Amino acid sequence: MTEGRSLKINVPMLARVEGEGALDLEIDRGRLAAARLRIFEPPRFFEKLVEGRAAAEMPDLVARICGICPVAYQMSAVHALEAIGSVEPTGWVREMRRLLYCGEWIESHCLHIHLLAAPDFLGFPDAAKMARQYPEAVRRGLRLQHLGNEIIALLGGRSVHPVGTCIGGFHRAPPAAAVSALRGRLHDAVPLAEELVRWTASLALPHARQDFVSVALRHPSEYPLNEGRIVSSDGLDIAIGEYADHFAEQPVAWSTALYSLYHGRPYLVGPLARLNLNLDLLPPQVRRNLARTEVPMPSSNPYHSIVARAVEVHYALLEALRILDDYHLPESPRVATKTRAGVGYGCTEAPRGLLWQRWETDADGHVVGCRIVPPTSQNQARIEEDLRLSLEAAGLDSPAEALRSRAEAVIRNYDPCISCATHFLTLRIRRRGGPQRARPPEALSTAARSAEES
Amino acid sequence: MSAHGRSEALIPQRSARRESRKNGDVRIVGLGSPQGDDRAGWAALAELAAKPLPACLALRSCVTPATDLLAAMTGARKVVLVDAVAGDVAGAILRGDRSALAASRGALSCHGVALDTLLDLAEACRLLPPELAWVAVTIDPAATVGDTLSAPVAAAVPALARAALEEALR
């Protein structure tokens, strides 16, 4: 091995974005000695704010934890709180909750694919510059995203911080006319979702093979959204109430966020993990469309996450149509609830991965405590592991700016809530030992800007 | 006198052009979120919705960044954006065009995605309307909690609505 430079890079906390990211790199004689990622975790404050408040307030409150995935927080919370009171929602409520989640998956995944991730793979600094050469692709993505927002608004009253969800079901049932109109627009968009899968698969995605454990929900008969057992690619199969027996959060000296580890090691949650563990539960139409690409699934390449997201957009669109094809007005959009002292668990598949919650209430229905483990913090250790592998592969003697750009792209691939801005990461590099030698940065994307839009 | 009548008196020479506009040709888009003074754009829209408006004028409210805004603008000949912007003193009314938006990069934000970035995206996707204007009310960024407007911003909503209507009918 050639003698490389050594330096230490320290990064202060970032502002200006939805969430904050910071990264410390230590490069010692050409090898990465340390890569420490800090992500700010809003739910940690939230867990204290809700103590003493009525459980019935929680659906509206938890929706404000995240502007991109409010439904996920609502769904995990209502399932946990309903478990405490032994509340059994109707089949209609169950289907509408799946529909609501489909809307969020479509909206969140499309935002990530088109505004955040694709520019990395096509060699553009931001989506606006990418859109000048790929206007059709971006318009398609925005149209799909808008449909996701429409689904959320149909049931939630609005697409940001929706207010339609309550413990036991929904405050109101959508009118049949609105359902019919939306159904027509969703139907017309199916070819767009199919094209999206093929487009993401055609991107010049880096070749990588990493060894990681995938963790997701698994349901006996459907691609997981709201229900299922927690399974892993190394054989775990547990009820959601047993989560804490296998996944431990621990503090680390360099981060305000807790790290989640599975049996002491990093793990992956999110679309790629879900697809790796539930490929057989996708409808044949979705599997056929995926098979036409050259992207193998299950995959150990983290950069295939963008394809996994596109596949889930396709699935969510078809699932939404299936539910709306059978739509009828219910006798009541919700069931009665009762307060009780107890503990309940909720675990659903947020767009970014497993969102696990534990809630405890008193006999009057007030929150005694809650614990919320979001997918971004669960992926934090995995992201650090990927950073280590990816930056070493890219070349640690690259200039600091090139390392920062590559690190941002690696992190953005996991779609954490901090990735709302093009340059969200403040990077400090400390190098020590060995000669200083800079080499040209290796581009993440091998696709030139002259690549034809497919 | 309604805001509509007052606007016509201010710009009588443009009334013939207004008559030739199609329904919904001009849109006033209120941007905002449920958080406190950040709902000022919606409040202005509610103010306008209570008044008789010309047929060419349509009102839209946007909750999310990116798609909802771009969808609200698509097909319009002119769009007036109405929003809240951080300022030193709450309640001041600001106006401008696209160039003013670029100059205020970072001050106007659609919830994490800068407004001028969204408009760059719209332009790149050929979704930008031929005419674009914006009006805003200054707010204290700390006043974006709760479900109600602060006193100075609530007092400024009628003026914000009038400014939006004037820009739309200019």
Short mmCIF file of all heavy atoms in Angstrom, two decimals, chain A residues 145-177:
data_model
loop_
_atom_site.label_atom_id
_atom_site.label_comp_id
_atom_site.label_asym_id
_atom_site.label_seq_id
_atom_site.Cartn_x
_atom_site.Cartn_y
_atom_site.Cartn_z
N GLN A 145 -45.52 12.98 -7.93
CA GLN A 145 -45.49 13.46 -6.55
C GLN A 145 -46.77 14.19 -6.19
O GLN A 145 -47.29 14.03 -5.09
CB GLN A 145 -44.29 14.38 -6.34
CG GLN A 145 -44.15 14.81 -4.88
CD GLN A 145 -42.98 15.74 -4.63
OE1 GLN A 145 -42.20 16.01 -5.54
NE2 GLN A 145 -42.86 16.24 -3.43
N HIS A 146 -47.28 14.95 -7.12
CA HIS A 146 -48.52 15.68 -6.87
C HIS A 146 -49.67 14.71 -6.62
O HIS A 146 -50.52 14.95 -5.75
CB HIS A 146 -48.84 16.58 -8.06
CG HIS A 146 -50.06 17.42 -7.87
ND1 HIS A 146 -50.17 18.37 -6.88
CD2 HIS A 146 -51.25 17.45 -8.52
CE1 HIS A 146 -51.36 18.95 -6.95
NE2 HIS A 146 -52.04 18.41 -7.93
N LEU A 147 -49.69 13.60 -7.33
CA LEU A 147 -50.72 12.59 -7.09
C LEU A 147 -50.60 12.02 -5.68
O LEU A 147 -51.61 11.75 -5.02
CB LEU A 147 -50.61 11.47 -8.12
CG LEU A 147 -51.09 11.82 -9.52
CD1 LEU A 147 -50.76 10.70 -10.50
CD2 LEU A 147 -52.59 12.09 -9.54
N GLY A 148 -49.37 11.82 -5.23
CA GLY A 148 -49.18 11.36 -3.86
C GLY A 148 -49.77 12.35 -2.86
O GLY A 148 -50.46 11.96 -1.91
N ASN A 149 -49.51 13.62 -3.11
CA ASN A 149 -50.08 14.65 -2.24
C ASN A 149 -51.60 14.65 -2.29
O ASN A 149 -52.27 14.89 -1.28
CB ASN A 149 -49.55 16.03 -2.65
CG ASN A 149 -48.11 16.26 -2.21
OD1 ASN A 149 -47.67 15.70 -1.21
ND2 ASN A 149 -47.39 17.08 -2.94
N GLU A 150 -52.15 14.40 -3.46
CA GLU A 150 -53.62 14.38 -3.59
C GLU A 150 -54.22 13.24 -2.79
O GLU A 150 -55.29 13.40 -2.17
CB GLU A 150 -54.02 14.24 -5.06
CG GLU A 150 -53.83 15.49 -5.89
CD GLU A 150 -54.60 15.41 -7.20
OE1 GLU A 150 -55.77 15.81 -7.23
OE2 GLU A 150 -54.00 14.93 -8.19
N ILE A 151 -53.55 12.09 -2.78
CA ILE A 151 -54.06 10.96 -1.99
C ILE A 151 -54.06 11.33 -0.51
O ILE A 151 -55.03 11.08 0.21
CB ILE A 151 -53.20 9.70 -2.22
CG1 ILE A 151 -53.35 9.22 -3.66
CG2 ILE A 151 -53.60 8.60 -1.25
CD1 ILE A 151 -52.39 8.08 -4.02
N ILE A 152 -52.96 11.93 -0.06
CA ILE A 152 -52.87 12.32 1.35
C ILE A 152 -53.97 13.33 1.68
O ILE A 152 -54.65 13.22 2.70
CB ILE A 152 -51.49 12.89 1.68
CG1 ILE A 152 -50.39 11.84 1.46
CG2 ILE A 152 -51.44 13.39 3.12
CD1 ILE A 152 -48.97 12.37 1.61
N ALA A 153 -54.15 14.30 0.82
CA ALA A 153 -55.17 15.34 1.07
C ALA A 153 -56.57 14.75 1.06
O ALA A 153 -57.45 15.22 1.78
CB ALA A 153 -55.04 16.45 0.03
N LEU A 154 -56.80 13.72 0.25
CA LEU A 154 -58.13 13.09 0.17
C LEU A 154 -58.58 12.58 1.53
O LEU A 154 -59.72 12.76 1.94
CB LEU A 154 -58.08 11.94 -0.83
CG LEU A 154 -59.38 11.15 -1.03
CD1 LEU A 154 -60.35 11.95 -1.88
CD2 LEU A 154 -59.10 9.79 -1.68
N LEU A 155 -57.66 11.95 2.23
CA LEU A 155 -57.98 11.37 3.53
C LEU A 155 -57.54 12.25 4.69
O LEU A 155 -58.13 12.19 5.77
CB LEU A 155 -57.32 9.99 3.67
CG LEU A 155 -58.00 8.89 2.89
CD1 LEU A 155 -57.05 7.75 2.59
CD2 LEU A 155 -59.21 8.36 3.64
N GLY A 156 -56.52 13.04 4.47
CA GLY A 156 -55.94 13.80 5.57
C GLY A 156 -56.38 15.24 5.65
O GLY A 156 -56.01 15.95 6.57
N GLY A 157 -57.15 15.69 4.68
CA GLY A 157 -57.58 17.08 4.68
C GLY A 157 -56.58 18.03 4.04
O GLY A 157 -56.94 19.03 3.46
N ARG A 158 -55.32 17.72 4.15
CA ARG A 158 -54.26 18.48 3.50
C ARG A 158 -53.04 17.57 3.45
O ARG A 158 -52.96 16.60 4.20
CB ARG A 158 -53.95 19.78 4.23
CG ARG A 158 -53.51 19.59 5.68
CD ARG A 158 -53.48 20.89 6.43
NE ARG A 158 -52.95 20.71 7.77
CZ ARG A 158 -53.27 21.49 8.80
NH1 ARG A 158 -54.12 22.49 8.64
NH2 ARG A 158 -52.75 21.26 9.98
N SER A 159 -52.08 17.91 2.58
CA SER A 159 -50.97 16.99 2.38
C SER A 159 -49.81 17.22 3.35
O SER A 159 -49.01 16.32 3.56
CB SER A 159 -50.46 17.09 0.94
OG SER A 159 -50.15 18.42 0.62
N VAL A 160 -49.71 18.41 3.91
CA VAL A 160 -48.69 18.66 4.93
C VAL A 160 -49.37 18.72 6.28
O VAL A 160 -50.38 19.39 6.44
CB VAL A 160 -47.95 19.99 4.65
CG1 VAL A 160 -47.08 20.39 5.83
CG2 VAL A 160 -47.09 19.86 3.42
N HIS A 161 -48.80 18.00 7.23
CA HIS A 161 -49.41 17.90 8.57
C HIS A 161 -50.91 17.56 8.44
O HIS A 161 -51.76 18.31 8.91
CB HIS A 161 -49.23 19.21 9.35
CG HIS A 161 -47.81 19.69 9.38
ND1 HIS A 161 -46.74 18.88 9.64
CD2 HIS A 161 -47.29 20.92 9.16
CE1 HIS A 161 -45.62 19.59 9.60
NE2 HIS A 161 -45.92 20.82 9.30
N PRO A 162 -51.24 16.44 7.79
CA PRO A 162 -52.64 16.08 7.61
C PRO A 162 -53.37 15.91 8.94
O PRO A 162 -52.77 15.53 9.94
CB PRO A 162 -52.56 14.74 6.85
CG PRO A 162 -51.21 14.21 7.12
CD PRO A 162 -50.32 15.40 7.27
N VAL A 163 -54.65 16.22 8.93
CA VAL A 163 -55.43 16.22 10.18
C VAL A 163 -56.60 15.25 10.14
O VAL A 163 -57.45 15.27 11.01
CB VAL A 163 -55.95 17.65 10.48
CG1 VAL A 163 -54.79 18.58 10.80
CG2 VAL A 163 -56.76 18.20 9.30
N GLY A 164 -56.64 14.38 9.12
CA GLY A 164 -57.80 13.51 9.00
C GLY A 164 -57.75 12.25 9.85
O GLY A 164 -58.77 11.59 10.05
N THR A 165 -56.58 11.90 10.35
CA THR A 165 -56.42 10.65 11.09
C THR A 165 -56.78 10.82 12.56
O THR A 165 -56.46 11.85 13.17
CB THR A 165 -54.96 10.18 10.99
OG1 THR A 165 -54.67 9.87 9.63
CG2 THR A 165 -54.73 8.93 11.83
N CYS A 166 -57.42 9.83 13.12
CA CYS A 166 -57.69 9.82 14.56
C CYS A 166 -57.54 8.39 15.06
O CYS A 166 -57.51 7.44 14.26
CB CYS A 166 -59.08 10.35 14.87
SG CYS A 166 -60.44 9.39 14.15
N ILE A 167 -57.46 8.25 16.36
CA ILE A 167 -57.41 6.91 16.94
C ILE A 167 -58.75 6.24 16.62
O ILE A 167 -59.80 6.81 16.86
CB ILE A 167 -57.18 6.97 18.46
CG1 ILE A 167 -55.85 7.67 18.75
CG2 ILE A 167 -57.17 5.56 19.05
CD1 ILE A 167 -55.61 7.91 20.23
N GLY A 168 -58.70 5.07 16.02
CA GLY A 168 -59.93 4.39 15.64
C GLY A 168 -60.28 4.54 14.17
O GLY A 168 -61.16 3.83 13.66
N GLY A 169 -59.64 5.46 13.45
CA GLY A 169 -59.94 5.59 12.03
C GLY A 169 -59.67 6.97 11.50
O GLY A 169 -58.57 7.49 11.61
N PHE A 170 -60.70 7.56 10.91
CA PHE A 170 -60.59 8.88 10.29
C PHE A 170 -61.76 9.76 10.74
O PHE A 170 -62.82 9.27 11.11
CB PHE A 170 -60.61 8.76 8.76
CG PHE A 170 -59.41 8.07 8.20
CD1 PHE A 170 -59.38 6.70 8.06
CD2 PHE A 170 -58.29 8.80 7.82
CE1 PHE A 170 -58.26 6.05 7.55
CE2 PHE A 170 -57.16 8.17 7.31
CZ PHE A 170 -57.15 6.79 7.18
N HIS A 171 -61.53 11.07 10.67
CA HIS A 171 -62.60 12.00 11.07
C HIS A 171 -63.72 12.00 10.04
O HIS A 171 -64.88 12.23 10.39
CB HIS A 171 -62.03 13.41 11.23
CG HIS A 171 -61.13 13.55 12.42
ND1 HIS A 171 -61.57 13.38 13.71
CD2 HIS A 171 -59.81 13.84 12.51
CE1 HIS A 171 -60.56 13.56 14.55
NE2 HIS A 171 -59.48 13.83 13.84
N ARG A 172 -63.38 11.78 8.77
CA ARG A 172 -64.42 11.77 7.75
C ARG A 172 -64.05 10.81 6.62
O ARG A 172 -62.88 10.50 6.42
CB ARG A 172 -64.64 13.18 7.18
CG ARG A 172 -63.46 13.73 6.45
CD ARG A 172 -63.67 15.16 5.96
NE ARG A 172 -64.22 15.24 4.62
CZ ARG A 172 -63.52 15.10 3.50
NH1 ARG A 172 -62.24 14.85 3.54
NH2 ARG A 172 -64.11 15.22 2.31
N ALA A 173 -65.08 10.37 5.91
CA ALA A 173 -64.84 9.52 4.75
C ALA A 173 -64.86 10.39 3.51
O ALA A 173 -65.72 11.25 3.36
CB ALA A 173 -65.93 8.45 4.64
N PRO A 174 -63.92 10.19 2.60
CA PRO A 174 -63.91 10.99 1.37
C PRO A 174 -65.19 10.76 0.57
O PRO A 174 -65.67 9.63 0.48
CB PRO A 174 -62.69 10.48 0.61
CG PRO A 174 -61.84 9.80 1.63
CD PRO A 174 -62.77 9.28 2.65
N PRO A 175 -65.73 11.82 -0.04
CA PRO A 175 -66.92 11.62 -0.88
C PRO A 175 -66.59 10.82 -2.12
O PRO A 175 -65.47 10.89 -2.64
CB PRO A 175 -67.35 13.05 -1.24
CG PRO A 175 -66.18 13.92 -0.92
CD PRO A 175 -65.35 13.21 0.07
N ALA A 176 -67.58 10.08 -2.60
CA ALA A 176 -67.36 9.17 -3.74
C ALA A 176 -66.92 9.92 -4.99
O ALA A 176 -66.10 9.42 -5.77
CB ALA A 176 -68.63 8.37 -4.01
N ALA A 177 -67.42 11.13 -5.19
CA ALA A 177 -67.07 11.88 -6.39
C ALA A 177 -65.58 12.23 -6.40
O ALA A 177 -64.91 12.15 -7.44
CB ALA A 177 -67.92 13.15 -6.48
#
